[in-house]
Amino acid sequence: MTDIAMIEAARVRLDGHVRRTPLLSSPFLDDIAGRRIFVKPECLQHTGSFKFRGAWSAISALSPDVRAKGVIAFSSGNHAQGVALAARMHGIPSVIIMPSDAPRIKIENTRAYGADVVLYDRLNEDRDVIGARLSQERGLTLIKPFDEPLVIAGQGTTGLEIAEQAREEGIEKADVLVPTGGGGFISGVALALNAKAPGFLVHPCEPQGFDDVTRSLASGKIERNATQGGSLCDAIVTPQPGNITFPIMSKLCGAGLVVTDDEALHAVALAFSRLKIVVEPGGAVALAAALFHGETLGETVIAVCSGGNIDPDIFRLALDRFGA
Amino acid sequence: MTDIAMIEAARVRLDGHVRRTPLLSSPFLDDIAGRRIFVKPECLQHTGSFKFRGAWSAISALSPDVRAKGVIAFSSGNHAQGVALAARMHGIPSVIIMPSDAPRIKIENTRAYGADVVLYDRLNEDRDVIGARLSQERGLTLIKPFDEPLVIAGQGTTGLEIAEQAREEGIEKADVLVPTGGGGFISGVALALNAKAPGFLVHPCEPQGFDDVTRSLASGKIERNATQGGSLCDAIVTPQPGNITFPIMSKLCGAGLVVTDDEALHAVALAFSRLKIVVEPGGAVALAAALFHGETLGETVIAVCSGGNIDPDIFRLALDRFGA
């Protein structure tokens, strides 16, 4: 079970390899929200998302002989790229299993980061069977995307940075908003802030129609999403909270916030014009919640922008609808 | 005359007010350039460009009674916004004189940062006369955009950060590329690096047709540009090097590098897809030079991206031509 000691140990392993992202702000965003907004841009992290932290944490914790055999992950998105680059920087092989209909650019990027990409047919093949066979044949270690204590510990290093950076800004009390899929990122951040910044309350943020965590926190039990596809915020759409992450979120998080796809796109456009960062819609839901649903929040909000791997066409759409 | 002591004094004044921008990188950019590329994204600075540093440096150095009367600047771009916000954060008035045909968004932004914007008719009015009258009436202090030692000292704090961040990365030798207009930014950076990182050589980068600094360094005397308009890189187009900056650049800088508007747009698109930052064409000329004109450079290049205040239509153009 992840605790603050594990997060601090992960930080030691990540030191010098992970990027310490800054804390950004703009008076224009404060004016829109009617409160002080700070943004933690994990889109500036290696591979364009926080996922690199968890991947590095898990890979660096393996014993050298186990690690040398390599790692395997299932992902068509940010986790794939995080694992691929963290493996390459460790000088070990990685296998990423991706659906053959994943966007070409994501497959190419994952390969370019050094991974052996294995494609499978979503309709006729079982990725778990393929993964189990490859793991056994090559002795690969599976790196899970969120329901894994070492991954949660790595994501939690973001929370340690937030606590320090907020202290430098003189912030003692804040609502911290985190884009949430399976809950690995927010669990790590909440554990870190619970230990280091007790005046901070962490809230999950999700897109409308895929608000499984918000509903689960409200009902007290794990709830599923009705559908799996159709959100622009694909990076954070998962079927339901994790078995490890849900108890952590239940214990430490405040109520969830839900935004529309259009609000997420509006936040993408404002991050472009006011912060000069590139954020994907799923990575922008926390900023959208801070800007457009702040009525239940306090005077200071820290919104994490979790990733920036956006398709140029979607970015154009955000500029077309909400660009100046 | 600016020296390292003035830059270090500026840093003390800037501390806690200026943003320490990170050092970014991407293996994809290294592959394109055939060398290691690091990027210093001053587009993430307050007001979206390094100009905030120089403005803060100059305003914070004024005696309290002089400062209280306010400041004045001539600018339709990044200097205007830097001066306006730095003045507001000091709680003093600012007057920015802008041509009445400046882009509406720039006028609005400068006003939103708290400045009193005075518009003048470029064809029928003399901005210097207007400025002199206002300065005299209200006791305002003029903040020059680049040919001013305190402004150069503020821009030089970027160089102090580069020296420290490069040391953390283990870099002992590097070419440092800086987008250059009047030369205030590069002069400050070169002075700082000359003192703190003697293995580093600083080069100005300019757009084709507006390479006055490159030609001036080559000929040993101040050369002018033939025309003033028509570059996408408007943020760094000035008639000629400054009288204060030219001797500093002559003494400390290596040869200039010149890129086309299309190369600058290509760098804008790659900064979007690979670094997740928003850079304006003028701010991207150093990255473009690192990516496409590296043949005379060493194994490690640090490219400064100086600003990100780009029109959405120009950004779309970059994505249309060079987006994935």
Side-chain angles (χ1 to χ4, degrees):
Chain A
M1 190 65 176
T2 311
D3 59 16
I4 187 66
M6 272 181 74
I7 297 174
E8 289 183 323
R11 186 187 207 163
V12 173
R13 295 197 305 279
L14 267 66
D15 187 42
H17 306 288
V18 81
R19 195 168 281 147
R20 189 181 200 260
T21 53
L23 209 57
L24 306 177
S25 60
S26 161
F28 295 103
L29 300 184
D30 296 354
D31 285 349
I32 294 171
R35 47 188 39 83
R36 259 203 319 179
I37 306 274
F38 292 89
V39 169
K40 177 75 170 167
E42 278 297 299
C43 47
L44 302 179
Q45 191 52 260
H46 293 292
T47 71
S49 89
F50 73 95
K51 289 284 189 182
F52 178 80
R53 294 180 188 259
W56 186 280
S57 171
I59 291 173
S60 62
L62 296 173
S63 70
D65 53 327
V66 169
R67 183 166 59 226
K69 292 180 184 160
V71 294
I72 186 167
F74 304 97
S75 167
S76 60
N78 289 331
H79 181 57
Q81 298 183 47
V83 170
L85 185 63
R88 174 163 121 177
M89 287 166 71
H90 275 89
I92 63 164
S94 67
V95 175
I96 311 290
I97 303 187
M98 303 178 90
S100 51
D101 58 351
R104 192 181 46 82
I105 181 75
K106 291 192 174 175
I107 296 173
E108 282 174 9
N109 283 355
T110 307
R111 277 205 181 111
Y113 281 126
D116 179 4
V117 173
V118 174
L119 300 175
Y120 75 99
D121 176 346
R122 235 199 281 242
L123 299 174
N124 300 308
E125 291 183 286
D126 182 338
R127 69 174 200 179
D128 291 323
V129 171
I130 300 171
R133 179 174 53 75
L134 286 168
S135 302
Q136 211 168 16
E137 280 173 17
R138 305 197 203 171
L140 304 170
T141 301
L142 175 67
I143 309 292
K144 291 188 201 168
F146 56 84
D147 229 17
E148 156 58 48
L150 284 165
V151 169
I152 295 170
Q155 320 305 28
T157 61
T158 315
L160 297 181
E161 293 178 15
I162 290 172
E164 291 161 6
Q165 291 168 323
R167 200 173 305 124
E168 286 167 18
E169 298 280 351
I171 304 167
E172 292 184 355
K173 199 172 178 313
D175 290 291
V176 179
L177 309 190
V178 183
T180 299
F185 191 25
I186 191 171
S187 292
V189 169
L191 286 164
L193 290 175
N194 184 55
K196 299 293 179 184
F200 288 24
L201 183 61
V202 177
H203 303 263
C205 298
E206 296 176 295
Q208 214 168 62
F210 305 89
D211 57 346
D212 51 305
V213 171
T214 298
R215 287 184 292 108
S216 299
L217 289 178
S219 74
K221 60 183 176 53
I222 288 181
E223 310 272 357
R224 285 181 68 84
N225 289 321
T227 54
Q228 277 308 300
S231 172
L232 274 177
C233 304
D234 58 307
I236 60 166
V237 166
T238 44
Q240 62 180 56
N243 292 320
I244 294 179
T245 59
F246 180 61
I248 301 172
M249 293 190 282
S250 297
K251 191 176 162 199
L252 299 179
C253 293
L257 296 165
V258 179
V259 307
T260 65
D261 273 5
D262 246 22
E263 288 168 337
L265 280 180
H266 196 168
V268 168
L270 287 165
F272 160 84
S273 62
R274 299 312 186 185
L275 299 172
K276 315 304 177 190
I277 56 173
V278 176
V279 189
E280 61 192 283
V285 294
L287 178 57
L291 291 168
F292 309 123
H293 295 278
E295 51 282 359
T296 61
L297 305 175
E299 280 175 20
T300 303
V301 175
I302 300 171
V304 179
C305 286
S306 52
N309 292 314
I310 186 172
D311 186 283
D313 287 338
I314 306 292
F315 201 79
R316 278 190 197 92
L317 184 66
L319 294 185
D320 290 346
R321 286 203 193 151
F322 301 104
Chain B
M1 188 66 176
T2 312
D3 59 17
I4 186 66
M6 272 182 73
I7 297 173
E8 289 183 323
R11 187 189 206 161
V12 172
R13 295 197 305 279
L14 268 66
D15 186 42
H17 307 289
V18 80
R19 195 167 281 148
R20 188 180 200 260
T21 53
L23 209 56
L24 306 178
S25 61
S26 160
F28 295 103
L29 300 184
D30 296 354
D31 286 348
I32 294 171
R35 46 188 41 81
R36 258 202 319 179
I37 306 274
F38 292 89
V39 169
K40 177 75 170 167
E42 278 296 300
C43 48
L44 303 179
Q45 191 52 261
H46 293 292
T47 70
S49 89
F50 72 95
K51 289 284 190 183
F52 178 80
R53 293 180 188 259
W56 187 280
S57 171
I59 292 173
S60 62
L62 297 173
S63 71
D65 53 327
V66 170
R67 183 166 59 227
K69 292 180 183 158
V71 294
I72 186 168
F74 304 97
S75 168
S76 59
N78 289 331
H79 181 58
Q81 298 183 47
V83 170
L85 185 63
R88 174 163 122 176
M89 287 165 72
H90 275 90
I92 63 165
S94 67
V95 174
I96 311 289
I97 302 188
M98 303 178 89
S100 51
D101 58 351
R104 192 181 46 84
I105 180 76
K106 290 191 175 175
I107 296 173
E108 281 176 10
N109 282 354
T110 307
R111 278 206 180 112
Y113 282 126
D116 178 5
V117 174
V118 174
L119 300 174
Y120 74 98
D121 176 347
R122 234 199 282 242
L123 300 174
N124 300 309
E125 291 182 285
D126 182 338
R127 69 174 200 179
D128 291 323
V129 172
I130 300 172
R133 180 175 51 77
L134 286 169
S135 302
Q136 212 168 16
E137 280 173 16
R138 306 198 203 170
L140 304 170
T141 302
L142 175 66
I143 308 291
K144 291 188 201 168
F146 55 84
D147 230 16
E148 158 56 48
L150 283 165
V151 169
I152 294 171
Q155 320 305 28
T157 60
T158 315
L160 298 181
E161 293 178 14
I162 290 172
E164 291 161 6
Q165 291 168 322
R167 200 174 305 125
E168 285 167 18
E169 298 280 350
I171 303 167
E172 293 183 356
K173 198 170 178 314
D175 289 292
V176 179
L177 310 189
V178 184
T180 299
F185 191 23
I186 191 171
S187 292
V189 169
L191 286 164
L193 290 175
N194 184 55
K196 299 294 179 182
F200 288 23
L201 184 60
V202 177
H203 303 264
C205 299
E206 296 176 295
Q208 214 168 61
F210 304 90
D211 57 346
D212 51 305
V213 171
T214 298
R215 287 184 291 107
S216 299
L217 290 178
S219 74
K221 59 183 177 51
I222 288 181
E223 310 272 358
R224 284 182 68 83
N225 289 320
T227 53
Q228 276 309 300
S231 172
L232 274 177
C233 304
D234 59 307
I236 59 166
V237 166
T238 44
Q240 61 181 56
N243 293 321
I244 294 179
T245 59
F246 181 61
I248 301 173
M249 294 190 281
S250 297
K251 191 175 162 200
L252 299 179
C253 292
L257 296 164
V258 179
V259 307
T260 65
D261 272 4
D262 245 21
E263 288 168 336
L265 280 180
H266 195 168
V268 169
L270 286 166
F272 160 83
S273 62
R274 299 312 186 184
L275 299 172
K276 316 303 176 190
I277 56 173
V278 176
V279 189
E280 60 192 283
V285 294
L287 178 57
L291 290 169
F292 310 124
H293 295 278
E295 51 282 358
T296 61
L297 306 175
E299 281 174 20
T300 302
V301 176
I302 300 171
V304 179
C305 286
S306 52
N309 292 315
I310 185 171
D311 186 283
D313 287 338
I314 306 293
F315 201 79
R316 278 190 197 92
L317 184 66
L319 294 185
D320 290 346
R321 286 202 194 152
F322 301 104

